[in-house]
Amino acid sequence: RFSLLLLNLEEYYFEQHTANHIINKGCRDERKFRGSLKICSKSIIFEPDDNIQPIIKIPLRDCISIKAPEDNEANNPFTRDTSGGISVVCNQVFLIKERNIIAPYKTVRGRTEHLFQLDVAGKLGDVVQTLHQLYRASCLDKMGDQAAMITAILQSRLARTSFDKNRFQSISETLRMECKAEMVTPLVTNPGHVCVTDANLYFQPLNGYPKPVVQITLQNVRRIYKRRHGLMPLGLEVFCTENDLCSDIYLKFYNYQDRDELYFLIATYIENHITEHTAESYMLQWQRGHISNYQYLLHLNNLADRSCNDLSQYPVFPWIIADYSSSVLDLTKPETFRDLSKPVGALNKERLDRLLTRYQEMPEPKFMYGSHYSSPGYVLFYLVRVAPEYMLCLQNGKFDHADRMFNSLAETWKNCLDGATDFKELIPEFYENDSSFLVNSLKLDLGKRQGGKMVEDVELPPWASGPDDFLQKSQEALESQYVSEHLHEWIDLVFGYKQKGSEAVAAHNVFHPLTYEGGVDLNSITDPNEKVALLTQILEFGQTPKQLFTIRHPRRIVPKLKSLSRTSSHSVSIAESPVSPNEESFEDLTEESITLAWNNIAKLKLDEQYKIHKEAITGIAVTCNGSSVFTTSQDSTLKMFSKESKTIQRSVSFSNMALSSCLILPGDTTVISSSWDNHIYFYSVAFGRQQDILMGHDDAVSKICWHDGRLYSASWDSTVKVWHCVPGETLSNKKHHFELLAELEHDVSVNTIDLNAANTILASGTKEGTISLWDVTTATNGMSKHAFLLFFLAFDFFFCTDSRHLLSAGEDCCFKVIDVQTGMLISSVTTDEPQRCFKWDGNTILSGSQSGELLIWDLLGGKIIERIKGHTGAVMSMWINEQCNNVITGGEDKQIMFWKLQY
């Protein structure tokens, strides 16, 4: 029945001794109860073996005397069989769990004497000495002085002990590190010794509770996070699962050096087994629909220092549903949902106006809300039915008043809208599968409300047939199209750029300064009493999550005619499109075949190869029917290769300078080539001759793109130019007509460009690694940065009209993914060598490397799936067909290689 929750906040459990509790010693009704005597830093606790009897908790500050009576003492109650006896006289005692029922503590006031007889009499002196030390600490006036003395006692005990190496799983294990730490669980911490070997992580509690040693196999570790605990960078949390809410162990260290060393040891061990995910990598998975809204919020909470083991930083989830009165929940109506662009405090305009008036009149530091959206009290408000002992621990042995309990969803939502000081959000449990927190299955006596009604189960909205149905509908709401389209707005408030500064003020999202990371520097406070008081205030008030994003969060890509839903295991499934099997469109079949091809892209096999140039091949273009392949080369020639006859049918040299790229205009009648001689050449396939020259730049032309009569040309003269072209075939003089529409200036040479699928955004990459995103309808741009020379960039193949992501590769040996809408860098994958060209579908990359290999990458996992031997020099260019099952590469070795998918 004993648990650490019977201790006060910030209290330690040191040791336990088997003992008898003697009542009315020497009297006719003398009674003796066998049990366990627990010595804690602020109290003495006796747990009887008999469950009917209450646990006795004696606060040390309420003790009058603690002594072991001498044998010759007058009126000594220990005259017979009293060896090992301790007398505790106090004026207040708490009785807990009488008849093993969880209920508010009973307080017995008045002078009482308690006699405890230890089984091992030889320990009597040490126990009494310890109790005297702790009693002196509890009698100090100031909390800071009490904490300092208890800490000194604790550190002395830890220094006299060490990890028991006999607890190793194997005698062959090698010790890597040992240090002192505390295991953190909600509301309590347990001191002991941490030990890391080459195979396991161990924690041995000083008190042997709840078991002699906690052991975690390093091979099972999947995630590890550094944590901010008590506003200090001292925490470390280890997970052996990929998606679970709760961790396997949470440790708090006494200095950050020990924490960082342990983190390094574990991270080094597991880096070959798993990939460490960043907020940006999870964002990419979420945008793509690979993880659900629930999973994404869970990962963001983890990365922002939110933990189930720390109630002051418990994971925070949003209110989603705003309708708690209808008989049917309609997830197709926007009014069913809460406005996710506003914090809870700003949802009611009248209340917000009152708060803003107060805010304007307030001296610095100003804040809009006097309470937070997440705090230990709010967490336990929701969970009191399943975690009553936590509530009793937090509130000194009492439940809250019955009318302030979590009685009804509708009432709670209304109070969050109208209450003067209630701005709380929800917790993950509202979107999971365990509905026990809504039901009083423990039959707790939580009090009687003003109307005389007892507090029982939570009252659900009319649209929910029961607790499980309520959670199911809440999950559906969280994964609905409306929420998927708006969740990024709430993320901006809680984890993003609207969390702090002027954006927070504009969004009416300003909380007390002490709730923010960095709001106070505990190390700068020298007064221990002030430090303890401030820390207590902050931990009880709640803390704002660590800021993860400093610019606007991108929206999720939500496919049309499809909806995202989450199964019971929180995985994502795509609902059926509203068409019958017989009506399946050609686009659906194409998308299906492309998906199949990319899922099997690692099965790419070399079909044929031909050496057709004298220098490196720089560009590849293929006719619609696939019969003719055009290539450009640094040998200054454009060649036309017949796939059927396997021969070169045309070879054209426009100048003695290298050609840099080529493309075929719709209709397969004209090939355009760019050259290092500053010109762009138009070649007529039908007439077999040069048709026109565009002298458009002052330096080499590096890359060209075409769409709908517009030519986009990039040059080393630091410009990208947009031309309107009327093909020669439509004009009587057979010449092209060129009109310069825009000139996009850059600071340095432009190496590469690409258009998105909607042909509204042009991306350009310079030799210094700068990526510019141009709205080609207005020629405005936003910028991102690579470290070095950019080789290649491309929008994704993802089936979406707006092509939300841009992938780039550069000399810095990195793949980088940028969200086009916000310009945010959302993923970065380091490669062993530069990748010179690539194709991708948004998830998988097929790249050509500097060494000539073709590499298949799992972008989300950040790892290589397959290496395919290819060219003997760098892969310089790559073409892939519409079905994505045929690939052609051109290399520095002057060869073109034809690749086929072989399922």
Side-chain angles (χ1 to χ4, degrees):
R1 290 186 298 162
F2 171 80
S3 86
L4 297 178
L5 293 170
L6 300 184
L7 278 58
N8 295 350
L9 296 177
E10 303 298 315
E11 183 175 9
Y12 296 110
Y13 164 37
F14 285 140
E15 59 192 55
Q16 69 92 25
H17 302 275
T18 307
N20 291 316
H21 180 210
I22 303 172
I23 299 175
N24 300 324
K25 176 66 179 176
C27 300
R28 192 180 305 172
D29 58 346
E30 175 183 325
R31 297 165 68 196
K32 185 185 291 187
F33 297 101
R34 188 155 184 78
S36 175
L37 184 68
K38 320 282 186 182
I39 309 301
C40 307
S41 58
K42 298 180 182 179
S43 61
I44 303 169
I45 296 176
F46 182 77
E47 178 190 18
D49 293 343
D50 184 354
N51 286 351
I52 300 297
Q53 297 300 315
I55 293 173
I56 297 168
K57 179 178 179 179
I58 306 172
L60 287 169
R61 68 173 184 273
D62 293 326
C63 289
I64 298 168
S65 70
I66 302 171
K67 58 184 180 179
E70 300 296 330
D71 288 343
N72 56 2
E73 183 179 342
N75 302 317
N76 178 13
F78 294 99
T79 53
R80 302 181 308 277
D81 302 321
T82 57
S83 58
I86 301 173
S87 167
V88 179
V89 180
C90 58
N91 52 33
Q92 181 170 256
V93 172
F94 296 109
L95 304 181
I96 306 169
K97 287 189 180 177
E98 190 169 7
R99 299 187 179 277
N100 210 26
I101 295 171
I102 299 171
Y105 303 170
K106 290 182 181 178
T107 307
V108 178
R109 292 186 174 87
R111 183 186 175 101
T112 55
E113 182 177 15
H114 299 267
L115 304 174
F116 301 102
Q117 188 175 30
L118 305 185
D119 273 14
V120 182
K123 292 185 178 180
L124 180 64
D126 290 340
V127 173
V128 172
Q129 184 181 0
T130 299
L131 288 174
H132 282 167
Q133 277 185 313
L134 296 170
Y135 172 69
R136 285 197 298 274
S138 69
C139 292
L140 295 172
D141 293 334
K142 296 180 178 179
M143 294 297 294
D145 295 337
Q146 288 185 27
M149 186 170 176
I150 290 171
T151 299
I153 295 169
L154 170 63
Q155 292 301 324
S156 173
R157 284 174 162 259
L158 288 170
R160 295 196 305 268
T161 57
S162 62
F163 185 87
D164 180 4
K165 307 302 187 298
N166 292 321
R167 296 287 180 180
F168 283 178
Q169 292 287 300
S170 166
I171 57 172
S172 63
E173 285 185 63
T174 304
L175 177 66
R176 294 288 168 82
M177 177 189 176
E178 182 181 351
C179 65
K180 299 174 287 186
E182 296 176 11
M183 189 168 77
V184 179
T185 51
L187 299 180
V188 290
T189 60
N190 202 11
H193 296 275
V194 169
C195 191
V196 184
T197 69
D198 55 350
N200 293 289
L201 166 67
Y202 298 96
F203 176 76
Q204 187 172 29
L206 188 64
N207 50 36
Y209 179 89
K211 54 184 180 180
V213 69
V214 177
Q215 177 254 331
I216 291 173
T217 304
L218 294 181
Q219 201 169 353
N220 294 337
V221 174
R222 287 293 168 268
R223 293 177 289 149
I224 179 170
Y225 298 99
K226 292 181 180 179
R227 292 286 188 229
R228 175 182 48 142
H229 187 273
L231 301 187
M232 301 290 282
L234 300 173
L236 188 72
E237 194 161 19
V238 179
F239 293 77
C240 291
T241 56
E242 197 58 57
N243 294 309
D244 277 8
L245 185 63
C246 296
S247 65
D248 290 80
I249 194 167
Y250 187 144
L251 297 169
K252 172 198 167 187
F253 296 81
Y254 297 112
N255 60 72
Y256 71 87
Q257 293 93 339
D258 284 345
R259 192 276 303 267
D260 290 351
E261 184 180 349
L262 187 70
Y263 177 87
F264 175 78
L265 285 171
I266 299 177
T268 302
Y269 180 88
I270 66 175
E271 69 180 353
N272 296 322
H273 303 276
I274 62 170
T275 302
E276 184 178 359
H277 289 290
T278 61
E280 289 76 18
S281 68
Y282 283 125
M283 181 205 297
L284 183 61
Q285 293 184 58
W286 173 72
Q287 277 194 289
R288 296 291 186 191
H290 289 273
I291 58 175
S292 65
N293 291 338
Y294 168 87
Q295 287 172 314
Y296 186 44
L297 289 176
L298 204 61
H299 290 310
L300 291 184
N301 272 286
N302 256 323
L303 291 168
D305 278 344
R306 313 301 285 189
S307 167
C308 290
N309 285 307
D310 185 351
L311 295 188
S312 68
Q313 298 188 94
Y314 201 79
V316 56
F317 270 58
W319 284 96
I320 293 294
I321 299 168
D323 178 4
Y324 294 94
S325 58
S326 300
S327 57
V328 177
L329 185 67
D330 188 349
L331 297 181
T332 64
K333 292 164 54 179
E335 52 267 33
T336 298
F337 300 93
R338 164 259 183 101
D339 185 346
L340 289 164
S341 68
K342 298 176 181 177
V344 170
L347 293 175
N348 181 332
K349 188 177 184 306
E350 290 181 13
R351 178 178 66 175
L352 179 62
D353 288 342
R354 293 194 299 270
L355 292 168
L356 290 177
T357 300
R358 188 191 70 174
Y359 174 75
Q360 299 299 338
E361 298 168 352
M362 188 182 294
E364 294 291 346
K366 294 184 175 186
F367 54 89
M368 295 177 187
Y369 309 114
S371 64
H372 205 257
Y373 51 77
S374 176
S375 70
Y378 288 159
V379 173
L380 296 177
F381 168 84
Y382 292 125
L383 297 180
V384 64
R385 289 168 176 81
V386 289
E389 292 179 88
Y390 292 88
M391 177 68 86
L392 293 173
C393 177
L394 184 69
Q395 301 200 151
N396 299 315
K398 300 183 183 69
F399 288 133
D400 207 345
H401 189 279
D403 286 302
R404 290 197 296 267
M405 285 281 190
F406 181 31
N407 292 303
S408 155
L409 260 304
E411 278 181 23
T412 303
W413 171 243
K414 185 177 185 303
N415 204 51
C416 287
L417 289 181
D418 302 336
T421 60
D422 194 349
F423 315 108
K424 61 178 170 284
E425 292 279 10
L426 296 182
I427 55 176
E429 283 77 0
F430 279 84
Y431 304 104
E432 295 179 342
N433 300 312
D434 184 358
S435 62
S436 59
F437 74 101
L438 300 169
V439 182
N440 187 14
S441 56
L442 296 176
K443 303 302 179 187
L444 301 167
D445 183 357
L446 297 173
K448 188 180 291 186
R449 304 189 65 183
Q450 283 186 347
K453 186 178 179 183
M454 296 297 294
V455 176
E456 292 293 345
D457 298 347
V458 177
E459 187 179 322
L460 302 173
W463 45 258
S465 61
D468 290 340
D469 184 56
F470 170 77
L471 291 191
Q472 177 63 36
K473 287 186 168 68
S474 296
Q475 290 175 17
E476 290 169 5
L478 179 61
E479 305 302 336
S480 66
Q481 179 158 337
Y482 177 89
V483 174
S484 291
E485 290 173 349
H486 293 277
L487 187 59
H488 65 284
E489 298 171 338
W490 186 83
I491 292 169
D492 283 336
L493 294 168
V494 177
F495 301 105
Y497 81 111
K498 291 184 179 179
Q499 188 196 90
K500 298 177 183 177
S502 58
E503 293 288 354
V505 175
H508 306 130
N509 193 38
V510 182
F511 295 87
H512 195 285
L514 290 179
T515 67
Y516 295 93
E517 184 177 29
V520 61
D521 181 7
L522 284 181
N523 289 324
S524 66
I525 301 173
T526 55
D527 184 343
N529 302 298
E530 182 185 347
K531 185 181 288 189
V532 168
L534 192 62
L535 186 58
T536 302
Q537 178 187 347
I538 293 168
L539 297 184
E540 290 182 0
F541 189 86
Q543 296 175 70
T544 301
K546 183 199 295 184
Q547 189 175 25
L548 299 177
F549 309 105
T550 54
I551 62 174
R552 191 160 51 100
H553 191 287
R555 289 180 58 177
R556 190 174 200 182
I557 299 169
V558 182
K560 293 179 180 178
L561 299 179
K562 294 184 178 181
S563 63
L564 292 166
S565 62
R566 197 176 81 234
T567 64
S568 59
S569 62
H570 301 132
S571 62
V572 174
S573 63
I574 303 295
E576 289 294 327
S577 179
V579 293
S580 68
N582 295 330
E583 296 172 339
E584 191 167 28
S585 68
F586 175 74
E587 285 81 4
D588 289 335
L589 290 169
T590 303
E591 182 175 351
E592 201 172 282
S593 66
I594 291 173
T595 302
L596 180 65
W598 277 102
N599 287 342
N600 290 276
I601 200 76
K603 297 177 182 176
L604 208 60
K605 303 293 182 188
L606 180 62
D607 186 37
E608 298 170 298
Q609 64 188 90
Y610 305 95
K611 186 174 180 179
I612 61 173
H613 280 280
K614 296 177 181 178
E615 297 292 340
I617 295 170
T618 56
I620 301 171
V622 182
T623 55
C624 287
N625 61 11
S627 62
S628 297
V629 179
F630 291 88
T631 57
T632 52
S633 169
Q634 289 179 3
D635 65 7
S636 79
T637 62
L638 168 71
K639 294 185 187 283
M640 175 178 162
F641 181 83
S642 170
K643 187 81 176 357
E644 294 173 4
S645 65
K646 300 178 175 46
T647 58
I648 297 172
Q649 295 188 328
R650 307 267 178 90
S651 181
V652 185
S653 183
F654 300 116
S655 74
N656 60 356
M657 298 285 282
L659 299 179
S660 56
S661 67
C662 63
L663 57 83
I664 300 180
L665 294 189
D668 293 344
T669 58
T670 303
V671 177
I672 310 178
S673 301
S674 57
S675 172
W676 285 6
D677 68 2
N678 314 350
H679 299 164
I680 299 168
Y681 295 93
F682 291 72
Y683 175 78
S684 170
V685 178
F687 294 100
R689 60 179 171 81
Q690 178 182 308
Q691 189 175 355
D692 213 338
I693 303 175
L694 173 58
M695 294 178 282
H697 288 276
D698 298 324
D699 205 337
V701 183
S702 51
K703 183 78 183 290
I704 50 175
C705 293
W706 174 276
H707 175 72
D708 196 20
R710 287 188 178 188
L711 176 69
Y712 302 83
S713 58
S715 171
W716 294 355
D717 66 6
S718 306
T719 66
V720 173
K721 293 184 178 180
V722 185
W723 310 87
H724 178 61
C725 298
V726 180
E729 284 79 359
T730 63
L731 300 171
S732 57
N733 62 3
K734 302 294 183 183
K735 292 285 185 181
H736 287 73
H737 174 69
F738 305 106
E739 177 189 355
L740 182 62
L741 300 179
E743 186 170 330
L744 311 179
E745 295 284 351
H746 297 69
D747 294 332
V748 293
S749 301
V750 183
N751 283 355
T752 182
I753 53 173
D754 192 40
L755 274 169
N756 70 338
N759 300 290
T760 56
I761 297 174
L762 179 82
S764 58
T766 71
K767 74 171 187 178
E768 287 187 347
T770 301
I771 298 169
S772 299
L773 301 175
W774 303 86
D775 180 345
V776 293
T777 61
T778 61
T780 58
N781 80 313
M783 292 199 298
S784 184
K785 190 81 174 176
H786 246 278
F788 299 101
L789 169 70
L790 267 172
F791 289 131
F792 202 82
L793 46 76
F795 288 90
D796 54 32
F797 282 95
F798 196 71
F799 269 75
C800 182
T801 56
D802 55 2
S803 285
R804 289 288 297 279
H805 297 131
L806 177 76
L807 178 66
S808 63
E811 200 176 48
D812 58 352
C813 300
C814 274
F815 280 123
K816 295 193 176 181
V817 180
I818 295 166
D819 181 82
V820 174
Q821 187 183 56
T822 63
M824 180 186 285
L825 176 67
I826 59 175
S827 184
S828 181
V829 177
T830 303
T831 65
D832 292 335
E833 59 178 333
Q835 304 299 304
R836 299 300 300 261
C837 54
F838 61 80
K839 300 294 179 183
W840 73 312
D841 72 336
N843 306 311
T844 306
I845 306 170
L846 170 64
S847 70
S849 71
Q850 181 77 34
S851 63
E853 285 183 311
L854 295 189
L855 304 177
I856 290 103
W857 298 79
D858 172 10
L859 180 60
L860 300 178
K863 60 186 178 184
I864 296 174
I865 301 171
E866 191 71 48
R867 290 178 180 269
I868 303 172
K869 191 174 180 181
H871 295 266
T872 55
V875 184
M876 302 290 288
S877 55
M878 183 180 292
W879 173 89
I880 191 167
N881 68 337
E882 189 177 347
Q883 288 74 34
C884 302
N885 55 13
N886 281 286
V887 174
I888 304 173
T889 56
E892 210 170 32
D893 59 2
K894 311 159 194 174
Q895 295 194 94
I896 56 169
M897 292 186 172
F898 293 84
W899 307 81
K900 276 188 177 180
L901 270 188
Q902 297 184 2
Y903 298 113

